[in-house]
Every structure is written in C-alpha cells, then in structure tokens.
C-alpha cells in the first residue's frame, strides 16, 4: 500500500471524515494547483485514483486539431499521433502530467492551502452535525482551564465551555476534574466549533434522575414538572398510572440511595420529590412540602391564584429561606400561591367562597354557579397525609367515603386512625350537603303535576289546549 493510501486513512481517522470526502478534497486540491498553473478558466483537468488508493494520476484532456490555437486544451495532430497512432482530428486525448514538473512552483502552495481549508470545513461541518444531535443530552469531559469565570472542558474531538451563568454556585473545579454537564448549544467559531455546557438547567436534573430510576426509563413513572434554583433547591413532581407503584418512593429508592446519588452529582443541592396530582388543591399542598398545608383555597381559576393555609409553626417552612420554597412551588404548579396562617385569614370568609369563585370563572354567563366539593382533599382542614392515604385506598371520592364509613369498611385503610376517620366524617357533615333522592323525585312529580288556569276567566286548562273551554279565548303555551 502506498504512502498516499496510508495518509488518506490516517487523515480519515484523525478528522473523522470518510475516505470519499478526502478523495474529493484531493481532487479539488489538484484542480486548484492546475488552474493556478494554466489559468482559472480551464476545467480539462482529469484526476484518476487507483482502485486500492495506492496512487493518483493527473491528466490534461486535449482535443486533436490541425493547427493549435490554445495549447492548454488542444494538441497538434502530429504530436497526438506520436502518443496514439490512430488519433484523428476532433478526437480527445488524456495526456498525463507530472505535477512536480508541469505545475508552477507556487501552485503547490495554493493546492495545500485549499486542501487544509477544505478538510477543516468538512471536519467542522461533521462535528457540528454530530454535536447538534447531542443537544439536551449529558456529556462527560475534563476541566482544562478557566478564563474570566468560564470553564473550558476537554471533550475529546472538541472543546466545551461552561459559562459562569450555567455553573452551580456550589461547585469548584481543579485541573483534570471530571465534569458531567448538559449540552446546551453548539456554535461554529473561527477555529472550529464550541459546545456550550450547562449544569444549572432543569433538563440536567431530569436526565440525571432518569439515569438513576429505571422506572422512569421504562415509562412506569413520569416526571410531570421540575422547578430549580441551582445550588440551593429543586422540586420534582412525579406520577404513575399504576396503583401498585409509589412514584415518590421509587425515585427516592431504598434508604434514599437513588436520590442521594442525584444529590451527590449536584454537590449537595436539596431535592424535594413529590407526587403530582390533577387536582390543584392536592398538587399545591404537595408542592409546598416539607411544610404541612392545612387547606388550599382556589381564589381564581382563570388567573390561577390560590391561597395555602398553614399553621403558625409551618409558615416559615412553607415560605422558605428568602421565599424560595413558595417561589419554586409557584413555578412547579404554574399557580400564584399566597401563604397565610389561620390567624391571618380569621377575618376573611374565604373557606366558604373558595370553590364558588372558581366556578363563577369557569361557567361564564351563569348568574350564580358553585363548584361541588367532590373529593376529600378539597375539604377544609384535611391533612395531606390523610387525603393521600384515602386516595390510595380508593376512598378519595366524598360519596365513596361516606358509604364506606357508614358500613364500617374504612377500618382497613392503612395509615389512618379511627379518630382521623371520625374527623373527616365530621368535616364532611359540616361542609357538604347531600340531596335526598326521594325529595328530588317528589319535586319532579310536583313539577309534572303543575296546574294552569285561563288568563281571561280563570278556568282550569291543560297544556294540550289552544282554546278555553269556558270563555273561548285562544291561548298557547310557550317554554321559558
């Protein structure tokens, strides 16, 4: 195998460019040198590679003429017949050239420049495409240097940069430290390409926890939302469609092993894993953990405004340091959450109007509308733990709870005491009105038996009449 073939293969391995692209680069290099020697307007240079890439030959394709006008593209008949005895006028001959002797000295330098430029462009284009596919994925590199707060990371083929704004305030690096980061963007720069990295993105946390929790990878558990203040705290809402799987427990792992691995990767950042719920009352309660929320009041569904009521002891926990806990809960739930204590709302009649205000927004055009309390979690004063235990046992629905409570089957609910069940029953009796079926049927019967009288003489009439049988006046019934 010739040196040329070896060089092509080595170049292909080094630059990550396929051999066909390198062949095209060599062709463009020779063509540039040819045109530098004979003129830019000429395209009669023919380049041929051996099948095994062992050598390359360069030819000038010329037309046989009787009287040469342009020696670059034409050859005299007599000269042509010395090369090919059967040649005739108007035939074409490929005449082999020796670049070392036939090309100008400066043409070789032009060819080399063209080759370098072409190879660099091909390499950059290939790397750009390769790393663009990695955007949103995690990549591993090694600390190289720091400049103006930005950290430059060795990624192998390219260099990555971890800007100051994408660095966690907890993290400090030294030479050759291993860095795992999210590919945020890829940019083309004069020297090649640059990969922008991030360790503050919420997607970074999502990818890390997916690596630790197989149930997320196989779709048993889904991440429904992440809110993060990098270096301080992250809240993750998870859900599952399987009643036999606890999504929070699966993410935390046995003795907290799984979540501790995530915390270590984030250099000790606090992480709250909580259960997602379609009911905003329950979801907001969960989002404000570790605080225990006594009640959530929906003030305005359209504007997504809610009030969380907590005890005096839980107020500072719900707010968090510098408002961090409630701020993250706002972002996670996409609700504007106001936190108050029982004492702060003692003079406000909010409990009674919670669902009423929400319903008025939902049912536009209705003069007065009320949202029914359908679940235990919507009741005022119900703890989050009791509501979740009843929901997991299938008794979150008010009617289901009342029915089970009356027949005594609620004694089997794990994690809920009899005193707590009695308290839930008491709160239901105080806040929920049940319509008696017999009364409803009686009201329907009375409506059906309503009597009508003639507007002229007062005689009794029925809806199927069009004329009064007593005075003869005509009338008609209309539905309101």
């Amino acid at each position: 195998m010739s040196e040329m073939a070896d060089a092509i293969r080595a170049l292909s391995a080094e630059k990550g460019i396929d051999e066909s692209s390198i062949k095209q680069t060599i062709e463009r290099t020779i063509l540039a040198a040819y045109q530098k020697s004979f003129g830019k307007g000429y395209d009669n240079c023919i380049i041929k590679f051996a099948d095994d890439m062992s050598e390359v030959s360069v030819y000038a394709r010329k037309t046989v003429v009787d009287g040469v006008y342009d020696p670059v593209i034409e050859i005299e008949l007599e000269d042509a017949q010395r090369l090919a005895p059967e040649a005739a006028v108007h035939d074409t001959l490929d005449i082999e050239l020796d670049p070392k002797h036939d090309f100008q000295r400066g043409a070789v330098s032009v060819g080399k420049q063209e080759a370098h430029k072409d190879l660099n462009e091909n390499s950059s284009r290939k790397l750009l495409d390769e790393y663009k596919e990695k955007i949103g994925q995690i990549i591993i590199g090694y600390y190289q240097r720091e400049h103006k707060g930005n950290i430059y990371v060795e990624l192998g083929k390219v260099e990555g940069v971890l800007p100051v704004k994408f660095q966690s305030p907890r993290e400090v690096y030294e030479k050759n430290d291993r860095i795992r980061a999210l590919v945020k963007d890829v940019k083309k720069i004069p020297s090649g390409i640059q990969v922008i990295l991030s360790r503050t993105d919420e997607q970074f946390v999502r990818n890390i926890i997916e690596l630790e929790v197989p149930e997320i990878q196989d779709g048993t558990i889904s991440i429904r939302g992440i809110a993060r203040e990098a270096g301080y705290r992250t809240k993750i809402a998870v859900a599952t469609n399987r009643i036999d799987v606890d999504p929070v427990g699966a993410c935390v792992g046995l003795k907290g092993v799984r979540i501790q691995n995530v915390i270590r990767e984030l250099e000790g950042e606090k992480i709250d894993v909580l259960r997602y719920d379609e009911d905003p009352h329950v979801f907001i309660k969960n989002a404000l953990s570790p605080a225990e929320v006594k009640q959530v009041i929906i003030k305005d569904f359209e504007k997504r405004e809610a009030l969380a009521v907590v005890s005096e002891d839980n107020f500072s926990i719900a707010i968090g340091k510098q408002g961090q806990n409630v701020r993250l809960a706002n972002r996670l739930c996409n609700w504007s959450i106001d936190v108050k204590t029982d004492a702060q709302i003692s003079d406000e009649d909010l409990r009674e109007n919670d669902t009423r205000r929400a319903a008025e927004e939902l049912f536009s055009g209705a003069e007065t509308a009320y949202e029914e309390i359908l679940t235990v979690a919507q009741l005022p004063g119900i703890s989050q733990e009791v509501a979740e235990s009843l929901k997991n046992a299938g008794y979150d629905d008010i009617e289901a709870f009342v029915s089970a409570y009356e027949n005594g089957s609620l004694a089997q609910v794990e994690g809920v005491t009899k005193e707590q069940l009695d308290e839930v029953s008491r709160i239901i009796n105080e806040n929920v009105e049940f319509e008696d079926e017999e009364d409803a049927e009686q009201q329907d019967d009375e409506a059906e038996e309503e009597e009508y009288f003639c507007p002229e003489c007062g005689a009794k009439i029925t809806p199927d009449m069009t004329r009064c049988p007593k005075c003869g006046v005509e009338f008609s019934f209309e539905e309101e």
Side-chain angles (χ1 to χ4, degrees):
M1 187 66 66
S2 72
E3 293 181 1
M4 179 182 213
D6 292 339
I8 288 176
R9 282 167 172 71
L11 194 59
S12 175
E14 178 187 348
K15 297 286 187 179
I17 306 172
D18 58 80
E19 293 181 11
S20 62
S21 296
I22 295 177
K23 285 177 63 177
Q24 292 174 7
T25 297
I26 294 173
E27 289 174 351
R28 284 191 287 270
T29 300
I30 294 173
L31 180 60
Y34 181 87
Q35 292 181 338
K36 175 68 176 176
S37 299
F38 301 106
K40 288 187 177 181
Y42 294 108
D43 58 357
N44 63 322
C45 180
I46 307 301
I47 302 160
K48 296 180 181 179
F49 287 88
D51 293 338
D52 61 356
M53 301 283 290
S54 60
E55 61 181 22
V56 59
S57 300
V58 183
Y59 300 88
R61 180 162 289 175
K62 299 185 179 184
T63 303
V64 179
V65 295
D66 188 7
V68 172
Y69 176 75
D70 187 343
V72 177
I73 60 173
E74 295 174 340
I75 183 172
E76 188 66 49
L77 176 60
E78 183 179 345
D79 295 333
Q81 288 177 339
R82 279 199 292 268
L83 298 173
E86 69 280 6
V89 175
H90 303 309
D91 286 348
T92 57
L93 289 181
D94 289 342
I95 301 171
E96 188 171 3
L97 303 177
D98 182 355
K100 291 181 180 180
H101 299 96
D102 296 328
F103 286 5
Q104 294 180 4
R105 182 176 299 176
V108 176
S109 298
V110 171
K112 286 182 178 180
Q113 291 173 5
E114 188 70 23
H116 284 299
K117 179 182 176 183
D118 207 46
L119 288 171
N120 288 334
E121 286 182 355
N122 279 339
S123 179
S124 294
R125 185 164 53 248
K126 185 175 179 64
L127 288 173
L128 188 65
D129 292 340
E130 178 183 341
Y131 280 88
K132 273 189 174 181
E133 293 179 359
K134 298 180 184 292
I135 291 177
Q137 299 178 16
I138 288 178
I139 197 169
I140 296 174
Y142 295 89
Y143 178 97
Q144 291 297 299
R145 69 185 190 282
E146 180 268 335
H147 180 65
K148 295 183 179 180
N150 299 325
I151 294 172
Y152 290 85
V153 183
E154 174 59 46
L155 298 174
K157 298 178 183 178
V158 297
E159 184 177 64
V161 60
L162 186 60
V164 177
K165 63 180 179 178
F166 294 149
Q167 297 174 31
S168 169
R170 285 178 173 268
E171 299 168 359
V172 178
Y173 299 101
E174 295 181 357
K175 183 74 171 178
N176 294 324
D177 277 355
R178 177 176 173 275
I179 297 178
R180 187 191 295 192
L182 183 85
V183 178
K184 185 79 173 176
D185 196 9
V186 184
K187 294 181 178 179
K188 189 172 182 180
I189 57 176
S191 59
I193 69 164
Q194 189 176 68
V195 180
I196 311 300
L197 305 174
S198 172
R199 283 184 57 86
T200 60
D201 201 281
E202 292 170 355
Q203 183 65 36
F204 178 66
V205 177
R206 180 186 293 268
N207 290 359
I208 292 294
I209 198 168
E210 283 178 355
L211 292 173
E212 295 292 336
V213 184
E215 290 86 349
I216 296 177
Q217 298 176 35
D218 64 24
T220 303
I221 295 173
S222 61
I223 297 176
R224 302 301 294 270
I226 296 179
R228 185 186 186 204
E229 290 192 4
Y232 302 101
R233 196 179 209 103
T234 293
K235 288 183 178 288
I236 305 172
V238 294
T240 181
N241 53 9
R242 288 178 52 178
I243 60 174
D244 60 329
V245 175
D246 174 14
V248 175
C251 291
V252 172
L254 185 63
K255 297 182 180 180
V257 171
R258 290 176 174 177
I259 202 65
Q260 284 302 319
N261 289 337
V262 180
I263 291 172
R264 273 194 294 273
E265 178 62 43
L266 302 181
E267 301 290 343
E269 184 176 314
K270 293 180 181 179
I271 299 178
D272 298 332
V273 182
L274 54 99
R275 186 187 291 266
Y276 171 81
D277 201 291
E278 293 288 349
D279 185 344
H281 297 82
V282 179
F283 190 28
I284 290 171
K285 275 186 181 182
N286 297 347
L288 285 169
S289 65
E292 184 174 333
V293 180
K294 300 177 70 176
Q295 181 189 4
V296 172
I297 298 167
I298 304 300
K299 297 166 67 176
D300 192 318
F301 260 101
E302 185 176 326
K303 295 181 180 178
R304 300 181 73 83
E305 295 176 353
L307 171 64
V309 183
V310 298
S311 65
E312 193 71 40
D313 294 339
N314 277 272
F315 183 73
S316 60
I317 301 173
I319 295 298
K321 187 177 181 180
Q322 298 179 341
Q324 184 185 85
N325 194 59
V326 69
R327 187 165 58 248
L328 287 173
N330 284 345
R331 284 165 47 194
L332 185 67
C333 300
N334 194 25
W335 279 77
S336 176
I337 306 169
D338 189 16
V339 179
K340 291 186 178 181
T341 64
D342 288 311
Q344 290 173 325
I345 67 161
S346 59
D347 296 328
E348 301 178 38
D349 192 20
L350 291 174
R351 298 190 182 202
E352 181 180 340
N353 294 299
D354 169 23
T355 54
R356 182 183 309 174
R357 292 184 183 183
E360 287 173 353
E361 296 293 334
L362 286 174
F363 301 102
S364 58
E367 293 182 4
T368 305
Y370 299 90
E371 181 189 30
E372 294 179 299
I373 296 179
L374 300 175
T375 64
V376 172
Q378 291 176 266
L379 293 168
I382 300 296
S383 73
Q384 177 182 336
E385 290 76 11
V386 170
E388 287 197 3
S389 295
L390 289 171
K391 183 175 182 178
N392 292 337
Y395 299 114
D396 187 47
D397 181 79
I398 295 288
E399 292 187 6
F401 175 90
V402 171
S403 176
Y405 181 81
E406 290 176 351
N407 63 33
S409 60
L410 281 176
Q412 306 298 323
V413 177
E414 184 179 352
V416 183
T417 65
K418 184 179 183 304
E419 291 74 17
Q420 288 173 320
L421 294 174
D422 293 339
E423 177 65 11
V424 174
S425 178
R426 182 190 66 76
I427 293 173
I428 290 175
N429 291 333
E430 290 180 357
N431 293 272
V432 181
E433 292 184 7
F434 294 93
E435 185 178 278
D436 188 81
E437 292 185 5
E438 292 184 2
D439 291 342
E441 290 177 0
Q442 184 177 351
Q443 291 175 6
D444 292 340
D445 292 341
E446 289 175 354
E448 291 177 2
E449 295 173 3
E450 187 174 353
E451 295 182 341
Y452 302 95
F453 300 92
C454 175
E456 188 67 27
C457 66
K460 189 174 181 179
I461 57 177
T462 59
D464 59 337
M465 294 180 180
T466 57
R467 184 185 298 272
C468 177
K470 184 176 180 180
C471 67
V473 67
E474 293 183 354
F475 54 79
S476 64
F477 286 86
E478 295 182 358
E479 291 185 2
E480 293 185 356

